[in-house]
């Protein structure tokens, strides 16, 4: 049996609200991913270190503080510095429409503003990580 794809869900910066990140983490687990959740108020360098140590296929940042541009750039730079520039970074949270393209320009692989359907997030992360569909657990 193939092991589940590992992803990291992180809350960088000073943002203390983690309800959305926990919902996404749960949805990803339910979809068959193995999720490492950092908890709140993590430093960018610590997120990069954890991503490398946990051998994750993707880093998901949940940012509600308005610092999404700087934190995304810094996280991608920290991953590069750690030799992990092959790990895609996705960003979700309170993201104004005008910043979506700027996040892609900064290197984000996907952007999920508040209100994005969980199914959309899961499908996007499956594509980015080449994760297979989870086997159905319903009985015939």
């Amino acid at each position: 049996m193939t092991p589940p794809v590992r992803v990291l869900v992180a809350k960088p910066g000073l943002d203390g609200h983690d309800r959305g990140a926990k919902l996404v983490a749960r949805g990803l687990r339910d979809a068959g991913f193995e999720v490492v959740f950092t908890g709140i108020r993590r430093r960018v360098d610590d997120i990069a270190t954890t991503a490398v140590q946990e051998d994750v296929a993707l880093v998901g940042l949940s940012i509600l503080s308005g610092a999404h541009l700087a934190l995304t750039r810094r996280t991608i730079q920290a991953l590069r510095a750690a030799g992990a520039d092959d790990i895609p970074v996705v960003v979700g949270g309170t993201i104004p429409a005008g910043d979506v393209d700027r996040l892609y320009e900064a290197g984000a692989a996907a952007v999920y503003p508040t209100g994005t359907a969980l199914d959309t997030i899961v499908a996007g992360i499956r594509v980015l990580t080449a994760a297979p569909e989870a086997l159905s657990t319903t009985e015939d």
Side-chain angles (χ1 to χ4, degrees), residues 28-96:
L28 290 169
R29 280 188 191 114
D30 290 349
F33 290 89
E34 182 176 341
V35 178
V36 178
F37 180 63
T38 65
I40 61 173
R41 298 186 183 106
R42 297 298 176 201
R43 292 175 2 135
V44 168
D45 291 338
D46 294 338
I47 292 168
T49 298
T50 301
V52 171
Q53 289 175 344
E54 294 289 341
D55 193 26
V56 299
L58 178 135
V59 171
L61 301 177
S62 172
I63 306 170
L64 304 175
S65 65
H68 45 275
L69 292 169
L71 289 170
T72 299
R73 282 189 196 106
R74 288 179 48 219
T75 300
I76 291 168
Q77 289 168 351
L79 286 167
R80 280 189 194 130
D85 54 335
D86 60 329
I87 299 175
V89 175
V90 301
V91 185
T94 307
I95 300 168

